[in-house]
Amino acid sequence: MVNCLSFHPSTEWLVSGGVDKTLRLWRESDGVFVREIKGHKGTVNAVCFDPLKGEVMATVESNGQKGKTNTVWVWRFDAGTRKNGIKDVRNTHVLRGHEGGVTACCISANSSLLCTAARDGTLRLWKLWDAPPPGGGAAAAAAASAAAAEGTAGAAKSKQPKKSMAEMRRDA
């Protein structure tokens, strides 16, 4: 069963995810299946792209092995050209912090924040980078990875969100 879909913001690619723990990449123009992207340990509930260049993709999961799911996955997505296939899709970070299954994700308009929501009643904001670097392109993806590796993204390095990152709990 398919749980989620997201179009890439600047190419013809469509990504789907679902209960089989697999992401699938499709070509929008003719509906052709292109490739599977594996790695998730639980049900894929949501997928989103950074809206500026589409070089960062986020996915969220739940319902897998205890201690291995309820996670947020950040991917580097190098879309290549329209018809010539995908150059690269690779997981760069697995973010932990939600106690319940993660059900939704979105990336801010300036591509600097990732917001996730979970069944534990929380929203979490994850800092991808301070601001999109000049030139975008591969520099943007590299900056996101570097920021996370250096702890600017906090959650990616420590596997736990920093206390300074916003967390809201809905009223019970």
Side-chain angles (χ1 to χ4, degrees), residues 7 12-14 25-34 83:
F7 281 106
E12 66 174 352
W13 304 115
L14 172 69
L25 183 64
W26 307 85
R27 193 168 46 228
E28 170 267 325
S29 62
D30 55 12
V32 169
F33 166 76
V34 177
K83 300 277 184 189

Side-chain angles (χ1 to χ4, degrees), residues 5-150:
L5 300 164
S6 185
F7 281 106
H8 187 274
S10 60
T11 67
E12 66 174 352
W13 304 115
L14 172 69
V15 175
S16 66
V19 297
D20 65 355
K21 307 172 189 172
T22 303
L23 298 169
R24 288 188 172 74
L25 183 64
W26 307 85
R27 193 168 46 228
E28 170 267 325
S29 62
D30 55 12
V32 169
F33 166 76
V34 177
R35 76 170 10 167
E36 287 185 344
I37 305 166
K38 299 214 180 241
H40 278 282
K41 308 292 186 227
T43 298
V44 180
N45 293 317
V47 59
C48 65
F49 286 97
D50 82 88
L52 292 180
K53 297 279 186 179
E55 294 175 338
V56 176
M57 179 176 72
T59 57
V60 299
E61 70 179 10
S62 64
N63 301 333
Q65 273 185 296
K66 187 174 181 178
K68 296 196 181 216
T69 59
N70 302 337
T71 55
V72 179
W73 291 53
V74 180
W75 306 80
R76 182 182 185 285
F77 192 95
D78 190 350
T81 58
R82 271 181 78 87
K83 300 277 184 189
N84 292 339
I86 302 301
K87 289 181 182 177
D88 186 34
V89 179
R90 73 173 175 271
N91 176 247
T92 59
H93 299 92
V94 177
L95 310 176
R96 291 174 172 72
H98 286 290
E99 293 178 20
V102 189
T103 57
C105 62
C106 64
I107 297 176
S108 64
N110 70 356
S111 298
S112 66
L113 294 173
L114 168 63
C115 183
T116 58
R119 290 187 188 111
D120 62 7
T122 60
L123 295 176
R124 290 192 182 268
L125 290 175
W126 309 84
K127 191 174 185 180
L128 295 175
W129 55 68
D130 289 329
S145 293
E150 293 170 8

Side-chain angles (χ1 to χ4, degrees), residues 97 122-125 161 163 165-169:
T122 60
L123 295 176
R124 290 192 182 268
L125 290 175
K163 298 297 181 195
M165 292 185 187
E167 177 181 326
M168 300 182 296
R169 289 200 180 270

